[in-house]
């Protein structure tokens, strides 16, 4: 069932979103060669607790970390570990969730560790761009699949693989709610995009093929061909004025202003 939020509930989700947004800013600034993914988890745990919030992921179906840290060919759900050392040239996807007064925020970024190849920089740029294309395609009165169609259309010319087994989702009093938000498909289908709907959009884009594999730890999802993958996510809602990105510190303004001013791409 799709949960429609009141304005007051969305304010709480904004509060949760800002905790996530600030925490990811701290993490982005902290990433450097030689640190471990457990070090990142420690930074996140402190940031979320200091804000008076609760981590969404810790204990979720038994997940042992505060954040997910997925390095290189790991797509999502990597487990932070003191044995996993970040090296120059790696990319690390960091997924973070926090709860404020029962309401969740959920966002992810992929960050270069030191200097990375232009190929990886481009992969991250396109993955993040596809997420923003998804937001820009979302209109009140539009349809859910308009988002995934825009994500896929953004990635397609680059020839990367768009992961299909894992998708975005409704979010509110639980981290994962209806509806599922795939990162592919035809536009004009599925539920209407209405005020009060809050969604997490999270493209996972692979340098190689789209296929995935689950590691024996039961959590970590990797690319089947071993090539690197990027992941970006934000939680957003729709207002009369356009998309409001609840986990972006500026509400998404800086990225969306020019996207929404441009005429719709054919
Ligand atoms: Mg997430
Ligand atoms: Mg999510």
């Amino acid at each position: 069932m799709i949960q429609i939020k009141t304005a007051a509930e969305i304010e709480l989700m904004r509060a949760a979103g800002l905790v996530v947004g600030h925490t990811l800013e701290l993490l982005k600034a902290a990433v450097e060669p030689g640190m471990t993914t457990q070090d990142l988890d420690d930074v996140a745990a402190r940031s979320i607790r200091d804000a008076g919030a609760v981590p969404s992921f810790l204990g979720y179906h038994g997940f042992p970390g505060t954040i997910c840290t997925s390095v290189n060919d790991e797509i999502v759900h990597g487990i932070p570990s003191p044995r996993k050392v970040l090296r120059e040239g790696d990319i690390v996807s960091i997924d973070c969730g926090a709860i404020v007064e029962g309401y969740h925020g959920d966002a992810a970024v992929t960050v270069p560790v030191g200097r990375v190849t232009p190929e990886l920089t481009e992969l991250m740029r396109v993955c993040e761009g596809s997420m923003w294309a998804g937001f820009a395609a979302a209109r009140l009165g539009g349809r859910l699949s308009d988002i995934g169609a825009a994500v896929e259309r953004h990635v397609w010319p680059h020839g990367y693989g768009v992961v299909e087994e894992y998708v975005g989702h409704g979010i509110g009093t639980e981290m994962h709610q209806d509806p599922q938000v795939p990162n592919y498909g035809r536009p004009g289908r599925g539920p209407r995009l209405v005020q009060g709907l809050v969604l997490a959009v999270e493209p996972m884009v692979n340098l190689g093929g789209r296929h995935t594999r689950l590691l024996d730890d039961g959590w970590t999802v990797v690319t089947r061909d071993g090539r690197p993958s990027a992941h970006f996510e934000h939680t957003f809602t729709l207002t009369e004025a356009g998309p409001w990105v609840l986990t972006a510190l500026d509400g998404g303004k800086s990225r969306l202003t020019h996207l929404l001013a441009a005429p719709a791409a054919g």
Side-chain angles (χ1 to χ4, degrees):
M1 205 190 76
I2 293 175
Q3 187 183 64
I4 298 299
K5 284 82 178 174
T6 65
E9 289 176 305
I10 289 174
E11 286 299 336
L12 291 175
M13 297 193 71
R14 173 60 168 161
L18 286 174
V19 173
V20 172
H22 281 297
T23 301
L24 285 175
E25 287 300 319
L26 286 178
L27 290 166
K28 277 197 272 187
V31 167
E32 59 178 16
M35 73 188 306
T36 70
T37 53
Q38 182 63 49
D39 295 332
L40 292 176
D41 198 83
D42 294 344
V43 169
R46 207 174 315 121
S47 168
I48 292 170
R49 302 279 179 205
D50 285 354
V54 175
S56 297
F57 300 175
L58 187 62
Y60 181 81
H61 295 289
F63 188 78
T66 290
I67 52 175
C68 299
T69 51
S70 307
V71 181
N72 296 338
D73 67 321
E74 297 173 349
I75 303 169
V76 286
H77 307 162
I79 302 171
S81 163
R83 291 182 308 281
K84 186 101 180 183
V85 179
L86 298 176
R87 305 196 188 284
E88 179 98 18
D90 287 346
I91 57 173
V92 57
S93 300
I94 305 170
D95 197 340
C96 179
I99 312 168
V100 170
E101 295 186 41
Y103 288 84
H104 292 253
D106 186 9
V109 291
T110 301
V111 185
V113 182
R115 283 176 68 85
V116 305
T117 62
E119 191 179 44
L120 289 177
T121 302
E122 181 68 358
L123 175 71
M124 292 186 286
R125 190 186 70 81
V126 170
C127 181
E128 184 173 20
S130 74
M131 172 187 67
W132 288 103
F135 297 137
R139 301 271 191 285
L140 286 176
R143 297 280 194 169
L144 183 72
S145 77
D146 298 347
I147 298 169
V151 170
E152 188 177 38
R153 194 185 322 125
H154 185 92
V155 176
W156 185 80
H158 300 274
Y160 300 139
V162 176
V163 171
E164 297 188 1
E165 293 90 335
Y166 302 87
V167 295
H169 49 91
I171 179 169
T173 48
E174 299 91 26
M175 178 165 56
H176 293 134
Q177 297 185 328
D178 290 337
Q180 293 200 341
V181 186
N183 295 302
Y184 59 90
R186 296 197 202 166
R189 301 183 177 197
R192 289 259 176 226
L193 299 176
V194 295
Q195 224 156 14
L197 185 63
V198 185
L199 303 172
V201 174
E202 49 179 317
M204 288 143 263
V205 177
N206 301 344
L207 194 58
R210 70 168 178 83
H211 294 286
T212 68
R213 188 164 66 85
L214 182 66
L215 294 189
D216 288 342
D217 64 16
W219 283 105
T220 312
V221 178
V222 299
T223 58
R224 205 181 288 173
D225 59 14
R227 302 190 74 193
S229 181
H231 178 214
F232 283 84
E233 177 179 27
H234 271 307
T235 298
F236 92 114
T237 192
L238 281 167
T239 72
E240 296 289 354
W244 182 18
V245 183
L246 301 174
T247 44
L249 298 183
D250 72 349
K253 256 187 211 123
S254 60
R255 288 299 295 255
L256 286 169
T257 304
H258 78 277
L259 283 177
L260 294 172

